[in-house]
Amino acid sequence: MLRTHNNGELRLNHINQTVTLCGWVQRSRDKGGMIWIDLRDRYGITQLMLEEGKTPKEILDLSRTFGREFVISATGLVVERLSKNDKIPTGEIEIKITELSVLNPAKLPPFLIEDETDGGDDIRMKYRYLDLRRNPVRQNLILRHSVAKATRQYLDNQDFIEVETPVLIKSTPEGARDFVVPSRMNPGEFYALPQSPQTFKQLLMVSGFDRYYQIVKCFRDEDLRADRQPEFTQIDCEMSFIEQEDILNMFEGLIRHLFTQVKGLDLGEVSRMTYAHAMKFYGSDKPDIRFDMKFVELKSEEVDLVSGKDFVVFDSVNTVVGICAKGCAEYTRKQMDELTDFVKRPQIGAKGMIYLRYNADGSLKSSVDKFYSEEDLKIWAEAFGAEKSGCRPGDLILILPGDGNKVRKQLNELRLEMGNRLGLRDPKKYAAHWVVDFPLLEYGEEDDRWFAMHHPFTSPKPEDMKYLETGELGKIRANAYDLVINGVEVGGGSIRIFQKELQAKMFSVLGFTDEEAKNQFGFLMDAFEYGAPPHGGLAFGFDRLCSLFGGSDSIRDFIAFPKNNSGRDVMIDSPSRIDDKQLNELKIRTVV
Amino acid sequence: MLRTHNNGELRLNHINQTVTLCGWVQRSRDKGGMIWIDLRDRYGITQLMLEEGKTPKEILDLSRTFGREFVISATGLVVERLSKNDKIPTGEIEIKITELSVLNPAKLPPFLIEDETDGGDDIRMKYRYLDLRRNPVRQNLILRHSVAKATRQYLDNQDFIEVETPVLIKSTPEGARDFVVPSRMNPGEFYALPQSPQTFKQLLMVSGFDRYYQIVKCFRDEDLRADRQPEFTQIDCEMSFIEQEDILNMFEGLIRHLFTQVKGLDLGEVSRMTYAHAMKFYGSDKPDIRFDMKFVELKSEEVDLVSGKDFVVFDSVNTVVGICAKGCAEYTRKQMDELTDFVKRPQIGAKGMIYLRYNADGSLKSSVDKFYSEEDLKIWAEAFGAEKSGCRPGDLILILPGDGNKVRKQLNELRLEMGNRLGLRDPKKYAAHWVVDFPLLEYGEEDDRWFAMHHPFTSPKPEDMKYLETGELGKIRANAYDLVINGVEVGGGSIRIFQKELQAKMFSVLGFTDEEAKNQFGFLMDAFEYGAPPHGGLAFGFDRLCSLFGGSDSIRDFIAFPKNNSGRDVMIDSPSRIDDKQLNELKIRTVV
């Protein structure tokens, strides 16, 4: 080793030892008579000290040539500091330098290597290797390592076996777009990169592996958003001879273990909620339940407190639904306008927002006073009362009119916005719950056909199988479940189909011809004929889980070398053109 | 859970408990009055028992419909067996069945699901999910899991951080052929799949990660052999502020830990050998040192005991080199012919083999008696004597003439063959050693240029840097090392270049123009300017390491879903054609 110690470990008990340290020059302070250098590595910072008249002149001179981020080696005696620094663990000592050398000089970095940097996103991505030197970024990746380690620890203890499944697999048109890989040895043919190891883990269950997991890279060629990457990592799991309840318990156990190990937190109760409940009361299949603010319906299939008063906006829609914002009755006109603008943004798309102020003095004031009497409004306020959302004088009721789930999703956005404004979404507080009983299928208007909401291997609930026969496909609930933490879907899965006939039926419902089903998934249906056990599983989005643990919204901060929104790695400048020789060998041409 | 216990855990202390088991019917024996069923899962086999007159008739009838590999659920009472089976851990008990149901029937498998199967390679690969049910195959994958787990344990304890590096990277022409991935979002451009995370792990060192590892999939589009797969797994490691000695010690520690944890074995001394020594005495850069049988030179740059006797075969070559096979003086004519045929096989390519029998009575008999006197032969035998290879009466000396390292490589094959024949290569015995001081460069006759023997990032030994100036490039030794166990290269690595100028020089020596170097590796050379620490590392071939631990030559046996020699997965039938829609989106055409 070029060093005897790292920069995070020296303490008072090392005093009088001669040590050699290596690292990066964080900063250098030259006070004329004294020079102090902060030497940094992954483990910490140690202060080096040089003294005019005592330290040999050539060493003093050399030390004055050091710029930020120079890589140096320093030998000296550990001494007690006169003025101690209690902000760093090595703050009680410093090194009285006797030897010094430059291992590698450094150009001035294009941005500050500090916790708070002056570098923008683009420059930090181009020089990601410098960005990774910064404490917060490195800590994110160390956190990621801890989460992986604790995951393996739990699953190993529960008899899961990690099995690597192939990366070069077969393209299947169902689901998102595949990345493909031309095969040189099989000209005209392509591998695909897996969107998940789904079929392989099911085959491992057919093989009797009983409990499988893998922390594994997956790939989706989708248009990217801030929280999407073309390559991402999953904690992928599958179990045999289980029912849904077993999966929920097993992985509630995992998430609880991760919180204890990584965050030192007891997660508390992991509650359960049906999809139907989540949509009705939160307008989302991944509600953030750190705060309550449940929806109250003024008009729906079950209730109508608004129609027939000549207010055409409410008369012409099938759903009027609102939330109660505690203590916001005094919101200013400006604040109300902000909220209206918020829900009218094209990403949300509400037509407008109606409010009802429940003033502190008990009076009611709405934006639709023209149509509704004080008596009418009182009925509304009562609907938001004790049982429903505990609306009281001083609160503000925000109402959106619209069409079923569409307006509910709009109101969900408003609810989250109000949660933010009212400080109800503390990233240091965690609330986890399962959403269960998802619909098996959803209708795609555009393609005029049914799609699997989860994937084609998800099993319907036995009691809903009758709707397969009656054709009421939208009524079929699936044995499918998502784990939601703080409004983020961190994982999801299902109990799988394990019978060939049912799987074939499902492909047919999804519009596969028999030939297409056989061509794409014949191996799986064959496997089901040779003794497939009942099985199910789930996958966690590992990047997202890490960002949640790190209290950040961006998964990119938890990936060592992420890609930008155009799928580019700007550091290595990839993707890039390849040689004609390569194209010729692969027997492909580009047609751009 | 659909079961209360698994099939491997019931013992005498469970007697009188009512249990429910699930699993696969391994076999069923119907003795008229009694029926026994062996129920199998990953954990073991438990015997179920049904009795005419006691077990309800419908259960008996149902049990008679079970074929091999049916998936069933069985409930009953744990009872002590009358005739115990000490070959299985559950052999003292059996289950007196009270309930029975079929979870999934099974067609008759196309081959026997037994330790010894009747299925050939092709059918087992097509039905790999059935092959994986067999004990030896599943055990291989469980072993693989253990090796990974023990690897992580060791490296975690040594402060290594596992960091995931990207799979979609940039194609670089140096080295083996890349798999490429067309980018839809960047038409005409391609990602490449990594042959190793080499540059990324070096960047992590520049970032100050200090100690990195990753168990990671890598990809090479090469023509395949039995021990090669297009996708394979590496244990990839890198350290900063170290010298070669530190790497050797750290990873000798890892391999020792793996042997203790996984095999329960003390590996013994891990010796060291220079590349020059390995080539001179074993004709291989990965000698199997479980047995001695070192080469002895009869003609070389240093010695000549054979020329000038009118034997043109020896006169016309620069190297005559042989081995001593202990106790083989009595080899028959047939055996000698077999060996001659062996070395003449095109894969080996020797012109012929000369032998010298050192008979038990001390007399010498060679295949070239016409040219060499008893006196000459005595000199040869002495050359093979005490110090060199301990040749004694009763031994057989086998000699090959030829050209430098070419003939040495031929003799290496013969040495290994003799090792096999003499039972000196026991797969249960392990001998590990480092081969160090590899040449930095090797000359490619075909391309008439120098190639990096390891890769372009390997650093030359400081004392050999002078040859960079003199142009004697073949003389430069690298700080590169391989770990060899039982003649298998299980890992290798190097101390890296970390200075921009030297890296640029190296690219230039390898025939890169400045522009090519900048275009392909500019990011790395830039990184070296911003404070790169001295660093180095290595990678282990994880599949090969597992096969070594499993005592097998084939890595395929240790991969869940391997590809065949044409790079095909015959189970899922991949690679395959893709939709024109996909090709259009990717802006590529196939030209087959």
Side-chain angles (χ1 to χ4, degrees), chain A residues 397-468:
Chain A
I397 291 170
L398 301 169
I399 298 165
L400 298 182
D403 196 15
N405 279 349
K406 203 168 149 190
V407 68
R408 288 197 167 83
K409 285 177 186 173
Q410 294 164 350
L411 189 60
N412 164 55
E413 299 292 340
L414 182 59
R415 175 179 177 270
L416 294 176
E417 172 66 15
M418 290 312 298
N420 286 337
R421 286 178 176 240
L422 297 174
L424 302 171
R425 305 183 71 195
D426 178 0
K428 292 215 169 60
K429 212 180 122 186
Y430 293 92
H433 62 113
W434 291 101
V435 176
V436 299
D437 298 355
F438 275 81
L440 182 68
L441 300 161
E442 59 185 342
Y443 193 70
E445 301 286 346
E446 213 171 295
D447 301 79
D448 185 27
R449 72 168 182 94
W450 291 92
F451 287 86
M453 195 151 185
H454 192 52
H455 55 49
F457 315 108
T458 300
S459 66
K461 283 198 177 285
E463 60 269 35
D464 290 353
M465 294 278 266
K466 56 183 184 246
Y467 301 121
L468 261 179

Side-chain angles (χ1 to χ4, degrees), chain A residues 1 42 164 191 233 246 567, chain B residues 1 144 164 191 233 246 567:
Chain A
M1 299 293 296
R42 177 185 127 196
E164 291 173 65
Y191 302 100
T233 304
D246 304 310
Chain B
M1 300 290 296
R144 187 180 174 107
E164 292 172 64
Y191 302 100
T233 305
D246 303 309

Side-chain angles (χ1 to χ4, degrees), chain A residues 170-202:
Chain A
K170 183 173 174 164
S171 189
T172 54
E174 184 73 12
R177 210 181 279 109
D178 286 324
F179 282 106
V180 298
V181 181
S183 166
R184 180 183 54 87
M185 291 212 272
N186 304 273
E189 301 190 327
F190 293 78
Y191 302 100
L193 304 183
Q195 298 183 26
S196 94
Q198 184 62 33
T199 51
F200 289 97
K201 69 174 171 174
Q202 293 193 242

